mmCIF file of all heavy atoms in Angstrom:
data_model
loop_
_atom_site.group_PDB
_atom_site.id
_atom_site.type_symbol
_atom_site.label_atom_id
_atom_site.label_comp_id
_atom_site.label_asym_id
_atom_site.label_seq_id
_atom_site.Cartn_x
_atom_site.Cartn_y
_atom_site.Cartn_z
ATOM 1 N N LYS A 40 5.781 10.258 7.667
ATOM 2 C CA LYS A 40 6.283 11.288 6.741
ATOM 3 C C LYS A 40 5.256 11.554 5.633
ATOM 4 O O LYS A 40 4.477 10.685 5.292
ATOM 5 C CB LYS A 40 7.601 10.812 6.121
ATOM 6 C CG LYS A 40 8.720 10.651 7.135
ATOM 7 C CD LYS A 40 10.012 10.232 6.474
ATOM 8 C CE LYS A 40 10.046 8.777 6.096
ATOM 9 N NZ LYS A 40 10.048 7.818 7.203
ATOM 10 N N GLN A 41 5.315 12.734 5.070
ATOM 11 C CA GLN A 41 4.410 13.078 3.968
ATOM 12 C C GLN A 41 4.930 12.488 2.658
ATOM 13 O O GLN A 41 6.123 12.551 2.385
ATOM 14 C CB GLN A 41 4.286 14.597 3.838
ATOM 15 C CG GLN A 41 3.471 15.235 4.959
ATOM 16 C CD GLN A 41 2.086 14.622 5.109
ATOM 17 O OE1 GLN A 41 1.343 14.501 4.152
ATOM 18 N NE2 GLN A 41 1.742 14.213 6.328
ATOM 19 N N ASP A 42 4.030 11.926 1.888
ATOM 20 C CA ASP A 42 4.397 11.313 0.616
ATOM 21 C C ASP A 42 4.364 12.374 -0.487
ATOM 22 O O ASP A 42 3.316 12.988 -0.707
ATOM 23 C CB ASP A 42 3.399 10.192 0.300
ATOM 24 C CG ASP A 42 3.861 9.319 -0.851
ATOM 25 O OD1 ASP A 42 4.776 9.744 -1.573
ATOM 26 O OD2 ASP A 42 3.301 8.218 -1.015
ATOM 27 N N PRO A 43 5.494 12.600 -1.187
ATOM 28 C CA PRO A 43 5.476 13.601 -2.266
ATOM 29 C C PRO A 43 4.509 13.263 -3.397
ATOM 30 O O PRO A 43 4.090 14.145 -4.149
ATOM 31 C CB PRO A 43 6.925 13.617 -2.770
ATOM 32 C CG PRO A 43 7.639 12.512 -2.099
ATOM 33 C CD PRO A 43 6.805 11.995 -0.981
ATOM 34 N N LEU A 44 4.144 11.990 -3.502
ATOM 35 C CA LEU A 44 3.196 11.574 -4.551
ATOM 36 C C LEU A 44 1.828 12.225 -4.358
ATOM 37 O O LEU A 44 1.112 12.480 -5.322
ATOM 38 C CB LEU A 44 3.060 10.047 -4.545
ATOM 39 C CG LEU A 44 2.169 9.421 -5.617
ATOM 40 C CD1 LEU A 44 2.756 9.647 -6.998
ATOM 41 C CD2 LEU A 44 1.960 7.950 -5.376
ATOM 42 N N ARG A 45 1.484 12.499 -3.097
ATOM 43 C CA ARG A 45 0.192 13.126 -2.801
ATOM 44 C C ARG A 45 0.045 14.457 -3.535
ATOM 45 O O ARG A 45 -1.002 14.763 -4.091
ATOM 46 C CB ARG A 45 0.055 13.381 -1.309
ATOM 47 C CG ARG A 45 -0.435 12.189 -0.528
ATOM 48 C CD ARG A 45 -0.464 12.528 0.931
ATOM 49 N NE ARG A 45 -1.427 11.724 1.650
ATOM 50 C CZ ARG A 45 -1.601 11.784 2.950
ATOM 51 N NH1 ARG A 45 -0.893 12.615 3.663
ATOM 52 N NH2 ARG A 45 -2.480 11.018 3.540
ATOM 53 N N ASP A 46 1.121 15.252 -3.510
ATOM 54 C CA ASP A 46 1.075 16.554 -4.185
ATOM 55 C C ASP A 46 0.978 16.383 -5.695
ATOM 56 O O ASP A 46 0.267 17.125 -6.371
ATOM 57 C CB ASP A 46 2.320 17.375 -3.825
ATOM 58 C CG ASP A 46 2.352 17.703 -2.343
ATOM 59 O OD1 ASP A 46 1.261 17.835 -1.762
ATOM 60 O OD2 ASP A 46 3.453 17.801 -1.776
ATOM 61 N N LYS A 47 1.716 15.384 -6.197
ATOM 62 C CA LYS A 47 1.695 15.151 -7.650
ATOM 63 C C LYS A 47 0.296 14.769 -8.115
ATOM 64 O O LYS A 47 -0.132 15.144 -9.196
ATOM 65 C CB LYS A 47 2.671 14.018 -8.001
ATOM 66 C CG LYS A 47 4.097 14.471 -8.180
ATOM 67 C CD LYS A 47 4.920 13.337 -8.736
ATOM 68 C CE LYS A 47 6.392 13.703 -8.680
ATOM 69 N NZ LYS A 47 7.245 12.567 -8.975
ATOM 70 N N LEU A 48 -0.401 13.979 -7.304
ATOM 71 C CA LEU A 48 -1.726 13.495 -7.701
ATOM 72 C C LEU A 48 -2.791 14.580 -7.620
ATOM 73 O O LEU A 48 -3.871 14.424 -8.178
ATOM 74 C CB LEU A 48 -2.131 12.295 -6.835
ATOM 75 C CG LEU A 48 -1.403 10.984 -7.161
ATOM 76 C CD1 LEU A 48 -1.635 9.954 -6.083
ATOM 77 C CD2 LEU A 48 -1.832 10.431 -8.508
ATOM 78 N N LYS A 49 -2.487 15.667 -6.900
ATOM 79 C CA LYS A 49 -3.464 16.760 -6.804
ATOM 80 C C LYS A 49 -3.682 17.425 -8.155
ATOM 81 O O LYS A 49 -4.767 17.871 -8.480
ATOM 82 C CB LYS A 49 -3.013 17.776 -5.756
ATOM 83 C CG LYS A 49 -3.387 17.353 -4.344
ATOM 84 C CD LYS A 49 -2.886 18.355 -3.338
ATOM 85 C CE LYS A 49 -3.057 17.808 -1.917
ATOM 86 N NZ LYS A 49 -2.265 18.545 -0.947
ATOM 87 N N GLY A 50 -2.614 17.513 -8.939
ATOM 88 C CA GLY A 50 -2.737 18.065 -10.283
ATOM 89 C C GLY A 50 -3.426 17.061 -11.196
ATOM 90 O O GLY A 50 -3.404 15.864 -10.938
ATOM 91 N N ASN A 51 -4.030 17.532 -12.261
ATOM 92 C CA ASN A 51 -4.763 16.628 -13.147
ATOM 93 C C ASN A 51 -3.878 15.982 -14.208
ATOM 94 O O ASN A 51 -4.305 15.041 -14.868
ATOM 95 C CB ASN A 51 -5.911 17.390 -13.824
ATOM 96 C CG ASN A 51 -7.002 17.725 -12.827
ATOM 97 O OD1 ASN A 51 -7.217 16.984 -11.871
ATOM 98 N ND2 ASN A 51 -7.672 18.844 -13.030
ATOM 99 N N ASP A 52 -2.651 16.487 -14.377
ATOM 100 C CA ASP A 52 -1.786 15.978 -15.449
ATOM 101 C C ASP A 52 -1.474 14.495 -15.287
ATOM 102 O O ASP A 52 -1.628 13.705 -16.215
ATOM 103 C CB ASP A 52 -0.474 16.775 -15.489
ATOM 104 C CG ASP A 52 -0.712 18.202 -15.928
ATOM 105 O OD1 ASP A 52 -1.850 18.491 -16.349
ATOM 106 O OD2 ASP A 52 0.225 19.018 -15.856
#
Side-chain angles (χ1 to χ4, degrees):
Chain A
K40 296 182 283 293
Q41 288 305 309
D42 192 345
L44 183 65
R45 276 177 155 177
D46 296 329
K47 275 189 190 170
L48 286 168
K49 277 178 189 164
N51 290 329
D52 292 351

